[in-house]
Amino acid sequence: MTAAQSSSSGSTEEILVLYGSQTGNSEGAAEEIASLIPFKLLSPSPCTARCMHLDDFLELEKAKWTRLVVIVCSSYGVGQAPIGARKFREFCDEIWDGGRGISLEGVNFALLGLGDSHYTTYFRNPTTIDEALAAAGATRVGKLGKADASGTGEDEQSKVIDRWIENIWTDLARVVAADPPEREALDKAQEGTWALCLELFPEWKPGMGGAAMAALYVPLVGVILAVLAHFFWSGRWTE
């Protein structure tokens, strides 16, 4: 059975909604989008959604890309990634530095970015994500959302978020209605992404958790023993 036949066989299609959030606004928008997907995307087959941190997608899901992901993420500080997206930002930065030939062809993404224009770098993190994924071969669908915490009137952040969510469904529906990419393309995207993650974050390698803990505690035990020996030989312990 081909990927296209599988899509039309009545099975459901999963869409991932990924986010990074410092104050909770991005998380709230992501959860709203995920809750609406089963009601907004019904054809040619029903869609389900899971919502998670961008970093959890890389580490826990081992970067198992679906053909459509929705990303909601802000900038924090001087253009940095917020909580739950810092590892993903490192991944995107590495793509700009060469990316080890990663191919994300077959992956489509919609992106809603949040920030505060009081800072000159307010949209740097969403921009970096957008440009890095595109550079690796992924295709953005719909308008790049720019929700400014300093916006007023019709540009107030909550209103921009609401409009973006209201208007994105046609673009998302177009993706799920099209023939899906061959599974090999998404497998290649996952393999390349996960391989790069293991280079960037070696603690994610199987069995490295125990080794990392040992590397932390063995020196600490040595320090404790040295302190105890000092007290013993200096005669500072008394009964």
Side-chain angles (χ1 to χ4, degrees):
M1 179 181 290
T2 66
Q5 289 171 334
S6 176
S7 176
S8 61
S9 63
S11 61
T12 60
E13 177 171 354
E14 183 175 70
I15 297 172
L16 297 179
V17 182
L18 311 176
Y19 70 91
S21 185
Q22 195 70 30
T23 63
N25 291 332
S26 294
E27 180 179 7
E31 290 176 344
E32 180 180 355
I33 293 167
S35 71
L36 290 172
I37 282 175
F39 303 99
K40 294 288 189 177
L41 301 177
L42 300 172
S43 178
S45 59
C47 291
T48 61
R50 281 194 298 150
C51 187
M52 69 186 74
H53 278 145
L54 283 152
D55 289 352
D56 287 345
F57 164 70
L58 291 181
E59 181 180 8
L60 303 183
E61 297 293 314
K62 293 182 170 57
K64 188 174 182 180
W65 294 97
T66 53
R67 69 160 163 170
L68 177 59
V69 298
V70 180
I71 298 173
V72 185
C73 197
S74 62
S75 273
Y76 173 70
V78 288
Q80 299 162 316
I83 295 170
R86 291 165 187 165
K87 293 285 197 298
F88 195 86
R89 171 61 181 272
E90 289 185 54
F91 164 73
C92 290
D93 287 339
E94 187 65 22
I95 289 178
W96 275 120
D97 291 337
R100 310 295 197 280
I102 286 179
S103 172
L104 296 182
E105 291 186 12
V107 175
N108 298 273
F109 69 97
L111 177 55
L112 170 60
L114 285 71
D116 188 339
S117 61
H118 276 155
Y119 302 93
T120 57
T121 57
Y122 93 101
F123 209 66
R124 179 175 294 173
N125 187 56
T127 299
T128 298
I129 293 173
D130 179 51
E131 294 178 351
L133 296 184
T139 301
R140 176 163 55 82
V141 297
K143 182 180 179 181
L144 175 60
K146 295 185 177 183
D148 183 1
S150 293
T152 59
E154 289 303 307
D155 293 327
E156 182 183 332
Q157 187 176 69
S158 61
K159 293 181 180 180
V160 173
I161 291 172
D162 289 343
R163 283 199 302 271
W164 188 90
I165 294 175
E166 180 181 352
N167 294 329
I168 198 61
W169 300 110
T170 299
D171 299 296
L172 301 184
R174 189 177 300 115
V175 174
V176 299
D179 289 339
E182 293 299 324
R183 184 66 241 179
E184 289 79 4
L186 295 179
D187 288 343
K188 183 178 180 181
Q190 179 186 16
E191 291 166 5
T193 301
W194 183 238
L196 178 54
C197 285
L198 293 183
E199 290 186 37
L200 294 173
F201 319 116
E203 66 274 16
W204 289 1
K205 293 180 180 179
M208 285 300 292
M213 292 298 288
L216 174 65
Y217 284 113
V218 168
L220 180 59
V221 170
V223 171
I224 293 173
L225 290 175
V227 171
L228 292 176
H230 170 74
F231 277 99
F232 179 80
W233 291 110
S234 65
R236 296 180 62 179
W237 275 359
T238 59
E239 293 184 0

